[in-house]
Amino acid sequence: MRKQLIRIKLAFAVLLAASALPAQALAEAQAYPDRPITLIVPYSPSGVTDAYARSIGDYLGRLWNTQVIVENKGGAGTIIGTQHVSRAKPDGYTLLLTSYAYTSNPILRKDLPYDPASLTPVMLLGSSRSMLVVSSKSDLHTLKDVIAKGKKAPGNLKFASSGNASSPHIAAELWAKEVGVSITHIPYKGTGPAMNDLFGGLVDGIFDGPSSIANVHAGRLRALGIASETRHPAAPEVPTFKEQGIDLVFGSWFGFLAPAGTPKPVIQKINDGLNKSLSDPKVKAVLDAAGLFIVGGTPEEFASFLDHESNRLQGLVDSGVKLLVK
């Protein structure tokens, strides 16, 4: 566990260290991109990460006059897709759009089939706050109802997630610890399949990001609380957990990474394009509809953010919070 965290830190240190690049690398950066780019999403189609990737990929394709192919490689809590990118040629033509599991997997998993140092940060897209939602057809109408069901019998409460070690998984475990209940965690290969079973009544709830607000307003879901300091502006009717006596502030993030060793000028060109995409009306509409707090910024800022998130989670694990997965 400690070794994995050290590897993450080494990856960030490599990014932050400036080095002279050969003339060939500079020439490649100037020509970049001269062929299609593959953007890997380590989740199944129809989830929020997939929506972000497709809208931003479309913009980059128009900006660079090339094709950006979004490829979904879901499963194993993002490990399949992440491992694929970690083994890709470091030339900027294979990128990863991932989320919280990138920082949690090295800490929560005993055997990771890739080295976190094999990837380098490009840009932090944005962050969100976890919101507990249940089906509008559920008999769980309030947070008290959910807690009561959880206390009725150990494991009686079933929470879905987009995969082991994902932010919905961790949010559920942290929430259960705070309220003193035992839950049954049901991992899926992405948010889309998890939502389908939530709508179908096969699970009780999920700690999703504000992307669920659209389904709440459409009457398909019922929001019972949000793990934020303040209420979300897109759903001011949803109370925070703190308002309901539960000390829980937690959320996910979304960001772009590339294989380590990708020339710094290429990383910078990708970063510039990604930052420009955040001002595009079509992209912004998708991000705003999901309730994402848009961030952007430099690769170095994203590296520092990842370092902070890793330290925070490691601190939770060291304090005794049971989040370890196989």
Side-chain angles (χ1 to χ4, degrees):
M1 194 183 305
R2 288 291 188 183
K3 290 181 180 179
Q4 295 281 20
L5 187 57
I6 291 172
R7 286 176 181 172
I8 289 181
K9 290 178 177 293
L10 287 175
F12 301 156
V14 169
L15 173 69
L16 295 171
S19 61
L21 290 170
Q24 182 180 355
L26 293 174
E28 290 176 355
Q30 291 174 349
Y32 178 89
D34 60 5
R35 61 181 186 273
I37 298 166
T38 299
L39 177 54
I40 299 296
V41 175
Y43 298 104
S44 59
S46 77
V48 64
T49 315
D50 183 61
Y52 297 158
R54 294 183 187 280
S55 62
I56 293 174
D58 179 69
Y59 173 84
L60 293 178
R62 289 184 276 116
L63 176 68
W64 292 330
N65 193 30
T66 191
Q67 185 180 13
V68 177
I69 303 166
V70 176
E71 187 175 343
N72 298 90
K73 286 187 174 295
T78 75
I79 288 178
I80 294 174
T82 304
Q83 182 181 27
H84 177 84
V85 178
S86 75
R87 296 175 174 177
K89 186 177 180 179
D91 55 10
Y93 289 94
T94 303
L95 303 174
L96 176 72
L97 174 56
T98 190
S99 60
Y100 191 83
Y102 176 73
T103 45
S104 63
N105 277 334
I107 297 171
L108 303 181
R109 292 181 180 273
K110 295 179 180 178
D111 298 306
L112 206 58
Y114 63 87
D115 187 344
S118 62
L119 292 161
T120 188
V122 179
M123 189 194 79
L124 175 60
L125 175 59
S127 60
S128 62
R129 287 289 176 261
S130 297
M131 183 169 64
L132 174 57
V133 292
V134 300
S135 170
S136 58
K137 299 177 183 178
S138 170
D139 57 0
L140 303 174
H141 293 273
T142 67
L143 200 57
K144 289 183 178 180
D145 292 339
V146 180
I147 295 172
K149 181 171 183 177
K151 290 187 174 182
K152 188 174 182 179
N156 193 39
L157 198 58
K158 297 182 178 66
F159 278 136
S161 84
S162 53
N164 277 319
S166 64
S167 61
H169 173 202
I170 294 172
E173 297 289 358
L174 291 175
W175 176 86
K177 180 176 182 292
E178 283 294 326
V179 300
V181 301
S182 176
I183 65 170
T184 295
H185 169 234
I186 312 294
Y188 290 81
K189 293 182 179 181
T191 304
M195 281 296 179
N196 288 336
D197 276 5
L198 180 60
F199 294 141
L202 298 180
V203 293
D204 294 301
I206 185 173
F207 277 82
D208 194 27
S211 56
S212 284
I213 289 174
N215 277 316
V216 171
H217 289 165
R220 300 185 70 190
L221 294 176
R222 183 182 301 130
L224 303 183
I226 187 167
S228 178
E229 293 284 0
T230 59
R231 296 194 181 198
H232 197 285
E237 74 280 5
V238 181
T240 67
F241 287 117
K242 282 197 169 187
E243 289 179 66
Q244 302 179 77
I246 301 170
D247 187 16
L248 179 61
V249 176
F250 184 80
S252 188
W253 56 264
F254 301 86
F256 293 86
L257 297 103
T262 301
K264 192 171 182 179
V266 172
I267 292 291
Q268 190 57 57
K269 193 166 187 177
I270 298 170
N271 176 268
D272 290 342
L274 290 171
N275 275 292
K276 288 177 181 177
S277 76
L278 303 182
S279 298
D280 180 73
K282 291 182 179 179
V283 172
K284 199 170 184 303
V286 172
L287 302 182
D288 288 344
L292 189 72
F293 294 106
I294 301 171
V295 179
T298 68
E300 291 79 12
E301 288 169 338
F302 188 21
S304 295
F305 172 85
L306 291 172
D307 196 18
H308 174 269
E309 288 296 294
S310 295
N311 285 329
R312 181 190 185 203
L313 181 58
Q314 186 64 62
L316 287 174
V317 172
D318 292 343
S319 72
V321 177
K322 302 299 183 182
L323 295 173
L324 295 177
V325 295
K326 295 181 180 179

